[in-house]
Amino acid sequence: MSRLLFGGDYNPEQWPEEVWLEDVRLMREAGVNTATLGVFSWSSLEPEEGRFEFGWLDRAIELLHEHGIGVILATPTASPPPWFSVAHPEGLPVTADGVRLLHGSRDTYNPASPAYRAAAVRIATALAERYGTHPALVAWHLHNEYGTVGFGPEVDREFRGWLERRYGSLAELNRAWHTAFWSQGYSAWEQAFAPQATQYLANPTQLIDFKRFAAELLLDCYREQIEAVRRLSPGAPVTTNFMLPTWLHYDPWAFGEASDLVAVDHYVDARGVEGAAHAALGADLARSFGGGARWLLMEQAANLTMRGGRLLAKEPGAALRTSLQHVARGADGVLFFQWRTAPAGAEAFHSTMVPHAGPDSRVFREVCELGRTLGALDAVASPLAAVPAPGAGGEPVVRARVAIAWSADAWWAADSPGLPAHDEGFYAAVRRTHRALWMAGHVTDFTRLDAGLGRYDLVLVPSHLAASDAEVAALDVYVRAGGHVVVWHFSGTFDSELHIELGGYAGRFAEMLGVRVEELSPLDDGETVALDDGATGTQWSEFVELRGATAEARYTDGLVAGRPAVTGKRHGEGLARYVSTRLDDAAFDALLHRALADAGVAPDAAGAGGGLEIVRRAGADGASFTFAINHTSATRTARLSGTDAFTGALVDGEVELAAGSYAVVCEE
Ligand code: GLA
Ligand code: GLA
């Protein structure tokens, strides 16, 4: 069995069985070694409540197994069948406007409904009983993209229970939610609801508490299935496909800890170098959510995904380069949504490995080339069952010296109503920071601020509006001990209850940063502010006062003229910088360059950056591999030494990489 997994979602139940024979033949031809079955297949597996039809799945799994293709088995619980909706209307989700949704699409379920939860565990158990020890089984893929949030009486009931457990008393709830504002004081638990449609701005603490609750509810659903499956299928690792940003309805760190390994879906949203930067972002998030462990790319698209309702084709070779990026950054498998394009249905135009045109197509030829390429890299991967679980410690598969702070709370806080500016938001700020590091040739991790900072030389903190006591304390300890940090405007303004630290904004980090932010001065659309080092700021500025820091740059115009714009403070053995505006791209890059240099972080490989990606990762059995991928349209040069993974030739020195080409060398 190959160790580096290659394949995709496969729904044989949507096709006559003659087509299955062609499927396995083409899978062999393409080097596919893994098929993910059962995603959304509930009505084919349980056509009536309690009556299972496993015959087709038995035959499909046997056929794949006979052809040497392993199976990732999904539980179909993201799409309950129509019989479920009719029998259990309370198992359907309600929108924030109070509309109860009905089947007809997917993800139409209510995670707070006992009937839904019981039905989900029942089908998961039935699948595990039947297939849990099947020799073709590679892993479990529970549910699909946990991320459904709904409202309604069942959700309100669960939310109240969560609030009672969190706050213990109504007095505490009223304090935390600051309900004296706008007459929101609660005098009985029954008065508390999930934040549904309301007249004007909602209570921000109620909102973030609901997001935390809803994320835990999904985690409970996941845990129930994990328990059901692990008991009956002890040998197969359990995971679910995390949906990567742009939306966030779960806590990826908590999901990572619950999983045997992290698996993600990532759909690149641009062509060329920008697309490559986006793929690297997805891969670095995936690795980080598993604590640095190997992970799986569970879904990607053979072409670009629908962007703004438009199908965009990938340029030749892009699917291969993207896949190599993921492997370089720690993936032990590269899988697609999906194997064969459906002839009808809502996603009939979603690109796949075997398109509507059939195997005589550019896409399928590229899939075959990808299969051959990955086949030569098998020694990179480990058998899935041997991958250490997230949080088990151990050496990370890729070592990064720089990390970007990431937390669901920070994301949600930045989405709060009533903030002083329409800022770019957490995800955009994080993506910009990651892209700048990628362009400069650095591999980046994402990190929680409250754990494990010591392994990094530099920690970047963009748009981290809410910081918990534990985060504040851990960052302070890290810097005092010699760590370097850059904190961006407005970060550390709120605590976990979204109460503003009084005395100055960014107040949670103020002592470490050595500044007092007396007043905010967000900029109007199109308004800019100049700095004395030639930089320009947009979107945001602040009246900053030095309280132990020194000014690295000052504003020279606007309301904030003369005030510090960028500051630095020696804090213990470390260095803490603060940036009080959104710097233009060149100034942003220059700032990162300075921060990296001060922290002693050089690019991971000579020549890397500007679209030439060079990443070193651990292979199996102590080997390590260096991947060099040229995403640009010009020839680039990389310094490599080791054995060429494709030709076996010894490489030592400068290697020319033509536009769009790549090299992989193995160092023993
Ligand atoms: C109105 C309301 C106030 C306050 C302001 C904010 O004037 O009466 O309570 O909300 O708007 O602009
Ligand atoms: C998600 C789902 C897939 C498919 C793709 C389309 O990743 O898991 O089933 O719908 O989106 O992009």
Side-chain angles (χ1 to χ4, degrees):
M1 180 79 208
S2 317
R3 297 188 293 198
L4 189 57
L5 306 187
F6 175 50
D9 278 25
Y10 179 43
N11 287 96
E13 73 275 23
Q14 297 175 15
W15 296 93
E17 297 200 16
E18 310 85 82
V19 179
W20 303 8
L21 297 174
E22 196 199 19
D23 284 330
V24 285
R25 187 178 62 70
L26 292 176
M27 285 180 189
R28 298 283 308 188
E29 188 180 327
V32 162
N33 55 38
T34 314
T36 304
L37 276 78
V39 183
F40 303 124
S41 306
W42 200 338
S43 70
S44 302
L45 290 166
E46 191 182 0
E48 284 175 77
E49 184 149 22
R51 181 171 71 77
F52 296 105
E53 270 186 15
F54 290 125
W56 66 268
L57 188 55
D58 290 351
R59 291 194 295 285
I61 291 178
E62 280 319 314
L63 183 68
L64 291 163
H65 187 46
E66 276 164 26
H67 288 80
I69 297 159
V71 169
I72 295 179
L73 191 55
T75 58
T77 51
S79 210
W83 60 254
F84 176 83
S85 319
V86 172
H88 307 284
E90 77 289 358
L92 294 167
V94 175
T95 66
D97 296 326
V99 177
R100 181 80 72 178
L101 301 179
L102 190 60
H103 59 262
S105 179
R106 66 171 182 195
D107 296 306
T108 314
Y109 62 91
N110 176 355
S113 145
Y116 168 72
R117 300 267 284 266
V121 168
R122 185 178 59 213
I123 183 103
T125 306
L127 285 165
E129 270 167 357
R130 195 166 184 96
Y131 305 107
T133 56
H134 195 288
L137 184 67
V138 173
W140 285 96
H141 168 309
L142 302 183
H143 199 80
N144 193 70
E145 295 188 334
Y146 279 102
T148 301
V149 174
F151 298 87
E154 303 76 21
V155 172
D156 290 327
R157 189 190 59 229
E158 292 296 315
F159 185 43
R160 273 176 212 131
W162 186 91
L163 291 173
E164 279 201 65
R165 288 192 296 282
R166 184 177 181 89
Y167 293 112
S169 71
L170 287 166
E172 264 300 289
L173 174 77
N174 284 319
R175 183 199 56 73
W177 286 13
H178 199 66
T179 56
F181 191 77
W182 285 352
S183 182
Q184 290 173 12
Y186 294 89
S187 56
W189 290 107
E190 294 66 43
Q191 297 159 8
F193 287 86
Q196 291 152 68
T198 192
Q199 136 68 16
Y200 183 43
L201 303 180
N203 181 315
T205 312
Q206 180 187 7
L207 278 181
I208 199 168
D209 267 353
F210 178 69
K211 288 178 182 176
R212 291 167 176 148
F213 153 79
E216 285 181 28
L217 192 62
L218 292 175
L219 185 60
D220 290 345
C221 294
Y222 184 37
R223 286 213 172 102
E224 280 169 9
Q225 290 202 32
I226 292 176
E227 214 171 284
V229 164
R230 271 204 189 128
R231 193 165 47 82
L232 295 159
S233 184
V238 171
T239 188
T240 183
N241 49 341
F242 294 32
M243 196 183 342
L244 285 189
T246 53
W247 81 335
L248 186 74
H249 290 302
Y250 68 109
D251 178 355
W253 303 114
F255 266 73
E257 273 163 29
S259 308
D260 290 324
L261 83 164
V262 164
V264 300
D265 296 348
H266 196 242
Y267 291 93
V268 169
D269 65 5
R271 292 193 182 123
V273 169
E274 288 311 317
H278 189 221
L281 168 73
D284 290 348
L285 284 166
R287 186 184 61 254
S288 301
F289 293 147
R294 296 149 185 273
W295 54 279
L296 280 187
L297 180 68
M298 191 64 92
E299 289 181 22
Q300 62 171 333
N303 266 320
L304 287 186
T305 191
M306 299 277 197
R307 200 181 60 189
R310 179 167 300 152
L311 178 76
L312 294 177
K314 272 185 188 168
E315 60 274 45
L320 197 158
R321 285 189 294 277
T322 307
S323 300
L324 286 179
Q325 288 185 273
H326 289 299
V327 175
R329 290 171 183 269
D332 270 9
V334 168
L335 306 159
F336 287 78
F337 175 82
Q338 59 179 333
W339 165 250
R340 189 188 271 280
T341 319
E347 288 189 331
F349 288 97
H350 196 286
S351 64
T352 66
M353 302 168 85
V354 184
H356 286 141
D360 181 11
S361 57
R362 172 179 92 105
V363 167
F364 187 69
R365 280 186 285 278
E366 288 205 18
V367 163
C368 292
E369 189 190 344
L370 174 57
R372 283 191 296 277
T373 308
L374 295 177
L377 296 175
D378 208 42
V380 167
S382 301
L384 223 49
V387 171
E395 276 298 294
V397 61
V398 176
R399 181 161 280 295
R401 297 179 63 195
V402 193
I404 298 172
W406 203 103
S407 92
D409 266 10
W411 178 308
W412 293 329
D415 285 345
S416 289
L419 294 180
H422 304 290
D423 198 15
E424 57 188 345
F426 179 81
Y427 172 67
V430 159
R431 183 169 173 176
R432 182 187 197 212
T433 311
H434 182 274
R435 180 191 173 282
L437 290 166
W438 183 83
M439 286 299 274
H442 294 274
V443 175
T444 306
D445 273 355
F446 293 87
T447 183
R448 316 166 58 118
L449 279 183
D450 56 2
L453 298 179
R455 71 177 112 142
Y456 302 113
D457 298 309
L458 176 63
V459 174
L460 303 170
V461 188
S463 195
H464 211 89
L465 274 53
S468 69
D469 293 349
E471 288 181 311
V472 172
L475 194 59
D476 189 78
V477 166
Y478 165 74
V479 178
R480 281 181 193 281
H484 287 214
V485 66
V486 183
V487 175
W488 272 265
H489 49 93
F490 210 36
S491 297
T493 289
F494 300 91
D495 67 14
S496 296
E497 291 174 337
L498 297 190
H499 289 210
I500 295 157
E501 180 96 14
L502 300 181
Y505 301 108
R508 309 275 290 159
F509 298 136
E511 198 213 322
M512 173 186 79
L513 297 169
V515 296
R516 176 167 176 264
V517 180
E518 184 188 326
E519 190 182 334
L520 305 173
S521 187
L523 302 176
D524 217 341
D525 292 344
E527 195 184 351
T528 61
V529 63
L531 277 60
D532 61 8
D533 60 357
T536 306
T538 54
Q539 290 188 4
W540 195 272
S541 67
E542 294 176 342
F543 291 83
V544 176
E545 205 182 282
L546 299 175
R547 290 279 175 101
T550 52
E552 294 187 357
R554 286 182 181 270
Y555 294 108
T556 58
D557 66 1
L559 291 176
V560 289
R563 294 278 187 159
V566 179
T567 67
K569 182 196 158 196
R570 287 257 150 229
H571 185 64
E573 302 294 307
L575 178 61
R577 282 196 166 88
Y578 184 63
V579 187
S580 68
T581 184
R582 187 182 197 278
L583 294 172
D584 65 89
D585 288 345
F588 187 80
D589 290 346
L591 172 86
L592 287 183
H593 186 80
R594 229 157 55 228
L596 289 158
D598 288 344
V601 184
D604 299 295
L612 172 61
E613 181 166 341
I614 305 181
V615 184
R616 191 153 183 252
R617 71 160 277 179
D621 314 318
S624 74
F625 288 80
T626 298
F627 288 66
I629 310 164
N630 181 3
H631 300 286
T632 75
S633 47
T635 299
R636 297 283 300 267
T637 308
R639 276 203 69 82
L640 297 172
S641 84
T643 312
D644 186 302
F646 304 107
T647 64
L650 282 179
V651 180
D652 189 18
E654 307 246 298
V655 176
E656 284 223 329
L657 293 171
S661 72
Y662 55 87
V664 182
V665 299
C666 174
E667 304 122 22
E668 289 312 323

